[in-house]
């Protein structure tokens, strides 16, 4: 297929998605939940087809020399597929965000205004190799009343197609509008470029994957993009900290899951407690085999246990068992450092002084700011959202952990009795 | 100046704006209001300079052959300047959106989560010729705790510079952080291109102006853009409408201010009442000298009073005393037409049937949907927001009339007592 044909086909999918979105927007919660349960069963009914398709992806991956870790992310088996189906059923159990009246008021001229939560419309999801994203993303979008256009990576194309068809076919048995869940059959860059340009059909794009993918979407997109960039997260240990707590929270933030975006990367320590705190912290990190990179003051205290930090360390997301450590003069320096180097994801202060903590929380410009708790709690599940489509590092529309509410927009519904501006203006 | 120097200078302004934004974010309402009142007085103190600068713009505009309408938009005098200053004082009187706790809850592991409204950070405003936008936009951004980088049109460059300096200087006397309000001294396209690329410094761009300007920003911007595109607004007169009300609301929606984005462009009429309604409507429109363009059924009823409509009429924002009129078979056809041709701004149904109206409001995918009231009420002032930065035709972040709240983001503030994910996960 040449570029023009690819473009035409994807634009056609966009137009169909818009029609599906209008039909989805008026389904009530019971209808959507019945559809979701039918979608879960759709996955079960077509398990053989999905696993066969996955086998093709695995064979191709092996032939193309994918690493074992990559193959493992790609691989499905009956129990993994059942887990995906159960995930769909769990989303059916969540409350429906659509239709919630956020606010309502009556104006002096007696027009009544309702501010109501509605679906966004059509959501584009661009992702890489994990086939479970096909189901997870489509299902959260559907629960919030949106149509989806999915564009997965080439490694998982057979699995993704089989999963998307199973979801759509299963859902249609309970009234899912046609083309509510569509998978783009192309995996080249051109398909991303076309999606990024079709702002008449896609209301938002959510890229899920590495920095290169997000960057490609951001630089091309005409519509809003909700980004999940990196997490350069900080813990600042204040002069007044409970040092045992500081060790425990810093250790957890670093080692509980170092590959997560909410993991600690840079530890900042007030100079007044550096000498008492750092040896205890170093002992805990060493026991977990965390590499420490320190500035000169940290080196002076910890000696050869620490590697000298270079300026780039303050801007690095290690996603690994490595931590950068810096001594600061006071909280103001810590805040300045964080606001300059943090990716505005999750940052923490450890202190016994509540007022000091409140100032820190107010002054640090990050999505999630913590007092005396691990940065690892930045998570839709831990926040109680029930489901998570990601953790936004943007400041507009959605910031931090994104649940179903963040997949909605709003609308003003105004009811009157014939008011005109000429006769009934209030301003 | 060459391109590289322009770029360097604008990027430098971005970095300074970020510092200012962090300082602004922690000012309380009283501090900001004192600053705003000082800014109003800054305009009064420098009235002579501002009016002299405006004289230069007017002279240049006359030399360049601007129309009288354009010159009038550009022109300032003492009373217009005083109105701008009073506008600043009025913003000081509005409630501060920053710091509002939107929600708070405690998780089973006893971490307490607060969802708090915070400023966005740095807002870029790109606008065309009206110098009052310099003040109006900067002041609304400031009240909501944001720094601004303004880039106005070349016609008003002297006026804009003088106004921005007067606001900044006046505000600094009451503690406004340096560089909180900056005006880009360049008015070429390159300056828009640089702004659109600096997503490390600008959190959002709001273009205020014609479609060409918005399009240029959308196609280049790496950061979110809040758009105020056109308003192709509809009134649908249902079979069950009060016909006098239908005439009054349609007339008001069309003629009260035809140049506004919330003005009626297309009138849809249920076929069952077309013969009784259209002659009365036509009489009202004719009395106001509104040109009517109708489909075949309208022509059959109104004869030579109506011009035949072409397909483009259904997609045209006239912004003028012209209305397109179409007869539809039923509400479903009206909704399909609206969802296909509306710019998703403001659309209305006139009917006595509340259930029918509720279905219409739910099914029409527009920012503001009306039952028995003029579309002209889509306005921040009429909604009771106290101020308006525009009417967003986007669905993400801000939709419909945008007040101070829509110039804010949010942050999660989490307080614990040493909780770690390893020991206290709840999911």
């Amino acid at each position: 297929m040449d570029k023009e044909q690819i473009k035409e086909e994807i634009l056609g999918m966009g137009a169909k998605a818009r029609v599906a979105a209008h039909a989805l927007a008026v389904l009530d919660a019971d209808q959507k939940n019945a559809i979701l349960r039918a979608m879960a069963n759709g996955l079960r009914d077509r398990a053989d087809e999905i696993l066969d398709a996955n086998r093709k992806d695995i064979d191709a991956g092996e032939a193309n020399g994918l690493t074992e870790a990559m193959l493992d992310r790609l691989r499905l088996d009956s129990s993994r597929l059942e887990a995906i189906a159960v995930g769909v059923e769990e989303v059916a159990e969540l409350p429906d965000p659509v239709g919630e009246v956020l606010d309502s008021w009556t104006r002096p001229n007696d027009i009544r205004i309702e501010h109501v939560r509605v679906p966004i419309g059509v959501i584009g999801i661009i992702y890489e190799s994990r086939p479970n994203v096909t189901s997870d993303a489509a299902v959260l979008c559907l629960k919030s009343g949106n149509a989806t256009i999915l564009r997965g990576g080439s490694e998982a194309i057979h699995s993704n197609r089989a999963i998307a068809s199973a979801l759509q076919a299963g859902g249609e048995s309970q009234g899912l509008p046609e083309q509510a869940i569509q998978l783009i059959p192309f995996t080249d860059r051109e398909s991303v470029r076309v999606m990024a340009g079709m702002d008449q059909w896609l209301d938002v794009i959510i890229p899920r994957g590495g920095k290169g993918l997000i960057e490609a979407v951001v630089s091309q997109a005409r519509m809003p993009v909700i980004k999940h960039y990196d997490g350069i997260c900080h813990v600042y240990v204040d002069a007044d900290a409970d040092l045992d707590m500081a060790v425990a929270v810093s250790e957890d933030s670093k080692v509980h899951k170092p590959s997560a975006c909410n993991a600690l990367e840079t530890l900042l320590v007030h100079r007044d407690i550096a000498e008492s705190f750092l040896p205890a912290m170093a002992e805990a990190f060493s026991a977990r085999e965390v590499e420490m990179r320190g500035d000169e003051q940290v080196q002076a205290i910890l000696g050869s246990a620490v590697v000298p930090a270079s300026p780039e360390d303050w801007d690095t997301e290690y996603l690994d068992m490595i931590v950068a450590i810096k001594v600061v003069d006071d909280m103001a320096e810590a805040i300045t450092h964080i606001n300059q180097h943090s990716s505005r994801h999750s940052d923490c202060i450890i202190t016994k002084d509540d007022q000091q903590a409140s100032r820190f929380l107010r002054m640090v410009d990050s999505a999630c700011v913590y007092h005396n708790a691990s940065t690892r709690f930045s998570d839709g599940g831990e926040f109680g959202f029930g489901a998570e489509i990601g953790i936004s590092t943007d400041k507009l529309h959605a910031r931090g952990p994104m649940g179903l509410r963040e997949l909605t927009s709003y609308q003003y519904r105004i009811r009157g009795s014939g008011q005109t501006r000429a006769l009934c203006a209030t301003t």
Side-chain angles (χ1 to χ4, degrees), chain A residues 361-383:
Chain A
L361 300 192
R362 214 151 61 96
M363 294 177 77
V364 168
D365 179 21
S366 298
C368 305
V369 283
Y370 288 85
H371 174 208
N372 293 346
S374 171
T375 57
R376 286 279 298 133
F377 287 108
S378 291
D379 171 273
E382 292 298 328
F383 271 38

Side-chain angles (χ1 to χ4, degrees), chain A residues 132-201:
Chain A
N132 60 304
V133 174
T134 307
S135 177
D136 296 353
V139 158
L140 291 173
C141 290
L142 181 76
K143 175 81 188 198
S144 43
N146 301 290
T148 38
I149 296 187
L150 303 156
R151 190 278 194 189
S154 56
E155 303 85 350
I157 181 70
H158 298 98
S159 314
N160 290 341
R161 275 188 189 176
I163 291 171
S165 312
L167 292 171
Q168 177 72 37
E172 281 184 18
S173 71
Q174 287 292 324
L176 179 68
E178 281 178 33
Q179 322 283 3
I181 298 167
Q182 297 180 84
L183 180 84
I184 291 187
F186 315 110
T187 59
D188 55 348
R189 280 158 184 255
E190 182 61 14
S191 58
V192 172
R193 209 188 56 75
V194 174
M195 284 178 79
M198 61 179 196
D199 54 344
Q200 73 275 46
W201 303 128

Side-chain angles (χ1 to χ4, degrees), chain A residues 18-32:
Chain A
R18 177 67 67 207
V19 173
H22 287 144
L24 281 171
V26 294
L27 296 182
D28 65 27
D30 289 345
Q31 289 170 304
K32 285 187 287 191

Side-chain angles (χ1 to χ4, degrees), chain A residues 44-158:
Chain A
R44 292 182 180 114
D45 292 344
R46 297 207 187 177
D48 291 343
E49 278 170 72
I50 295 169
L51 296 178
D52 285 350
N54 185 249
R55 188 70 243 166
K56 280 190 203 165
D57 288 329
I58 292 290
D59 288 346
E62 285 171 347
N64 292 329
L66 294 192
T67 63
E68 188 42 49
M70 291 164 86
L71 289 169
D72 187 57
R73 279 201 287 275
L74 192 55
R75 188 172 289 122
L76 294 177
D77 56 25
S78 320
S79 72
R80 285 185 175 184
L81 188 58
E82 177 57 22
I84 294 174
V86 169
V88 178
E89 289 166 336
E90 284 170 356
V91 170
E93 299 302 314
L94 295 174
D96 185 353
V98 173
E100 184 190 348
V101 177
L102 301 166
D103 200 2
S104 67
W105 64 100
T106 303
R107 295 287 302 153
N109 58 14
D110 275 341
I111 63 171
R112 177 147 191 85
I113 304 178
E114 264 188 347
H115 186 202
V116 184
R117 202 184 280 291
V118 302
I120 289 174
V122 184
I123 297 181
I125 313 270
I126 303 181
Y127 54 109
E128 295 180 327
S129 61
R130 290 174 186 271
N132 60 304
V133 174
T134 307
S135 177
D136 296 353
V139 158
L140 291 173
C141 290
L142 181 76
K143 175 81 188 198
S144 43
N146 301 290
T148 38
I149 296 187
L150 303 156
R151 190 278 194 189
S154 56
E155 303 85 350
I157 181 70
H158 298 98

Side-chain angles (χ1 to χ4, degrees), chain A residues 227-241:
Chain A
K227 297 179 286 294
H228 306 78
Y229 265 133
D230 47 1
I232 300 181
C233 304
H234 297 72
V235 171
Y236 163 61
V237 182
D238 193 35
D240 205 12

